[in-house]
Amino acid sequence: MTAAAYLDYNASAPIRPEARAALCRALELTGNASSVHGFGRAARREIEDAREAVAALVGARPARVVFTAGGTEANNTALAGTGRSRLVVSAGEHQSVLSAAPGAARVPLGADGVIDLDRLSSLLAEDGPSALVSVMLANNETGVIQPVSEVAARARARGALVHCDAVQAIGKVPVEMPALGVDLMSVSAHKLGGPQGVGALVVAEGIELAPLLRGGGQERRRRAGTENVAGIAGFGAAATAAARDMASGGPSAIAALRDELERRVRAIAPEAIIFGVGAPRLPNTSCIALPGLTAEIQVMALDLAGVAVGAGAACSSGKVAPSHVLRAMGASAAEAASAIRVSLGWASRPEDVERFIAAWSGLYKTWAGGRAGARTSSAA
Ligand code: PLP
């Protein structure tokens, strides 16, 4: 039996060796990065090196990177910090955007998971100059990539600002913030192989941002609180490693594994639904539904077989809740309740796909056999 297969990178990726090494090195440091003595300056150097690495990953200037305690804080800061009173979000946003913008207008998704751009334009026709639009770059459940540069062009034409939650995209596909044309962008370390509890909000030139957390002058007065030096150092190292992997063909190797997994799922269960296949998607994500077989049962059976996958919007609570993303794409309640998310990443190997397929096809055969048996006995 091979080692367990971890296929839940969109929930959290395994830490990269480079990130672990940087984190451990920085943990050995003493001192506060705001102190002017040598100890403080050494801590400061770790932070500034990481800032350069994170900035390079998204094509921004280092001074524009504001470190936070993760993607959730970055999203909350962005939505609260621009002073714009009218919020417009896509219906497929992560809960950390939806909950931070309870009164926001929601732009619907098409069946392929892509935002309805015409609806966005009509929502911005009035009040554009008082609006902040928040649209994610890639969806955490389906991997569907939104046309963010088009969103930004339409928003800009109406005087609106744009925030992009790029938490699931960075490190998986190349991301250039200036080319996207957005004003604010959220990123998180643990989705690309850095430590949990650290992220950043990248703020475009000329954008004023009020801090969410107050009480200190850190991060150029944009985020108060003593910096998490070790976490930030780990983030920087993970960002550099992710950039290196992307430059050497990592995304296409991961896409090949994911495509093979989907090909075999279809061969085993032609009735399986794979969400978002008609749209541009992240190379690593597959959201598969088998109506009638709940996600909970699939996740538990796969776990017993040593395969870890996600279900529903599981990254927030560990509970399997019906996915608002799939419902927004027009999925029925039964389809949404049966969707599992398989997500690969930097350490995924063909053996992981083999193990998933062996376990999932065994589960499918048992389930399909049980259904056929139930039909025969009810007909008798
Ligand atoms: N945005 C998206 C799209 C996510 O998938 C997540 C994490 O699940 C977050 C934001 C929150 O990031 P963090 O876990 O760093 O708070």
Side-chain angles (χ1 to χ4, degrees):
M1 187 116 130
T2 53
Y6 184 79
L7 296 172
D8 202 10
Y9 278 68
N10 287 10
S12 200
I15 193 155
R16 293 173 182 266
E18 300 89 341
R20 182 186 291 111
L23 188 135
C24 292
R25 184 190 65 231
L27 271 181
E28 296 295 328
L29 296 175
T30 298
N32 186 314
S34 298
S35 301
V36 292
H37 49 59
F39 291 91
R41 291 200 307 277
R44 169 64 47 204
R45 252 193 314 279
E46 290 286 349
I47 294 176
E48 298 314 319
D49 288 351
R51 202 185 304 281
E52 281 183 21
V54 171
L57 187 65
V58 298
R61 280 203 312 121
R64 310 315 302 169
V65 173
V66 180
F67 284 117
T68 64
T72 298
E73 186 192 315
N75 283 344
N76 276 266
T77 305
L79 291 167
T82 64
R84 296 286 173 117
S85 56
R86 180 142 192 270
L87 301 178
V88 178
V89 305
S90 98
E93 293 304 302
H94 187 262
Q95 208 56 51
S96 57
V97 166
L98 296 179
S99 300
R106 291 204 186 175
V107 187
L109 305 181
D112 58 358
V114 176
I115 185 174
D116 180 340
L117 286 168
D118 291 336
R119 186 85 183 100
L120 171 70
S121 291
S122 63
L123 279 168
L124 291 176
E126 290 165 29
D127 305 336
S130 60
L132 171 70
V133 177
S134 184
V135 174
M136 68 204 324
L137 189 47
N139 185 268
N140 44 305
E141 294 178 40
T142 60
V144 168
I145 295 176
Q146 298 295 342
V148 170
S149 53
E150 181 59 28
V151 167
R154 290 181 185 223
R156 202 170 290 274
R158 298 289 183 185
L161 293 178
V162 182
H163 164 249
C164 177
D165 173 351
V167 163
Q168 290 291 349
I170 62 152
K172 295 175 183 154
V173 289
V175 174
E176 282 289 317
M177 185 168 165
L180 291 175
V182 300
D183 302 291
L184 299 147
M185 192 160 99
S186 300
V187 297
S188 177
H190 73 111
K191 308 292 186 179
L192 55 81
Q196 297 174 345
V198 56
L201 182 63
V202 191
V203 185
E205 314 286 336
I207 300 296
E208 296 284 323
L209 182 78
L212 184 66
L213 301 184
R214 294 155 205 267
Q218 291 89 351
E219 297 297 281
R220 294 185 169 80
R221 308 210 152 272
R222 293 175 299 195
R223 198 272 185 184
T226 302
E227 297 89 340
N228 171 6
V229 180
I232 290 171
F235 188 8
T240 301
R244 178 205 61 210
D245 286 0
M246 277 195 293
S248 60
S252 30
I254 290 171
L257 288 179
R258 191 273 313 269
D259 293 348
E260 172 64 7
L261 184 145
E262 290 187 348
R263 189 189 65 72
R264 292 173 69 181
V265 161
R266 286 186 196 287
I268 296 162
E271 74 273 38
I273 301 164
I274 301 178
F275 288 100
V277 273
R281 271 189 305 163
L282 291 176
N284 78 317
T285 307
S286 187
C287 185
I288 304 164
L290 196 56
L293 183 57
T294 67
E296 264 156 316
I297 289 178
Q298 293 183 68
V299 170
M300 285 190 296
L302 290 168
D303 186 37
L304 286 174
V307 180
V309 302
C315 78
S316 59
S317 61
K319 281 197 297 209
V320 182
S323 157
H324 69 279
V325 178
L326 302 182
R327 297 291 274 152
M329 291 166 70
S332 69
E335 287 166 355
S338 73
I340 59 167
R341 175 186 66 190
V342 183
S343 52
L344 299 87
W346 67 269
S348 296
R349 300 284 172 268
E351 303 86 88
D352 300 325
V353 173
E354 292 301 328
R355 189 159 182 154
F356 171 83
I357 291 295
W360 196 78
S361 85
L363 172 64
Y364 175 80
K365 281 184 193 136
T366 310
W367 171 73
R371 266 196 327 174
R375 271 201 300 271
T376 316
S377 56
S378 67

